[in-house]
Amino acid sequence: MILYGSLAILEIALEKIKPIYDGHGFLFNSIEILLGLVILILIKEYATVCVMWAVWSIFRESIELREILAKKLHSVLALISFIESLAVIVLSILLLMEPGEHHALIHTYLLCIELILTASIPVCNGYIFKDEKEALEE
């Protein structure tokens, strides 16, 4: 959560000329950092960490779904991202229902896949749109 929030704030800072604190993104990501610190420093119960992680995952996926619906991704990548988001939401609900090691381990594996997709989808999206734009110009 700490890394995710920090990188998102850095992205906001690099993309915008106006002050970083404008808009909801800075606040949301600051709270992500705070929750990550609370989990690392204050929370000792495994089940509590699972519940916080599951709720955080559902909120993060809602942002991903909003981007898909805003048509910011090429259709193939949007489909992949949509399926991944649904899988994360379903597994997060299972983690909420039964916050245990088994579901947390599955969630950890899914997180690895999600991090790879999170990094690769915007890059692939840029290349696909670039290739389509070049094809239209020809």
Side-chain angles (χ1 to χ4, degrees):
M1 285 183 194
I2 296 168
L3 184 59
Y4 215 110
S6 299
L7 290 175
I9 288 175
L10 180 63
E11 182 181 4
I12 291 168
L14 294 175
E15 282 183 1
K16 295 185 178 180
I17 297 173
K18 60 184 176 179
I20 191 170
Y21 51 83
D22 281 356
H24 72 283
F26 176 77
L27 294 174
F28 182 84
N29 294 308
S30 297
I31 290 173
E32 275 184 320
I33 294 168
L34 177 65
L35 285 175
L37 290 171
V38 166
I39 287 174
L40 282 177
I41 297 168
L42 302 174
I43 306 296
K44 304 297 182 210
E45 294 181 29
Y46 193 75
T48 305
V49 172
C50 287
V51 169
M52 290 179 74
W53 188 5
V55 171
W56 173 73
S57 294
I58 291 170
F59 280 121
R60 289 304 301 176
E61 292 310 314
S62 71
I63 293 169
E64 297 290 328
L65 290 172
R66 185 183 73 207
E67 289 177 2
I68 294 167
L69 294 174
K71 300 185 187 323
K72 292 183 179 181
L73 294 176
H74 186 271
S75 59
V76 173
L77 298 175
L79 180 62
I80 293 168
S81 187
F82 181 77
I83 292 168
E84 181 264 339
S85 291
L86 287 182
V88 170
I89 290 170
V90 168
L91 289 173
S92 294
I93 291 169
L94 291 174
L95 192 58
L96 284 172
M97 291 169 47
E98 190 179 324
E101 189 174 337
H102 173 69
H103 286 127
L105 185 60
I106 292 171
H107 220 81
T108 303
Y109 291 142
L110 186 62
L111 181 62
C112 293
I113 295 168
E114 181 180 6
L115 290 174
I116 291 168
L117 288 174
T118 299
S120 61
I121 284 179
V123 172
C124 292
N125 195 51
Y127 283 121
I128 291 172
F129 277 133
K130 180 180 175 186
D131 290 343
E132 286 178 357
K133 192 175 186 179
E134 288 175 359
L136 289 173
E137 290 175 359
E138 293 177 353

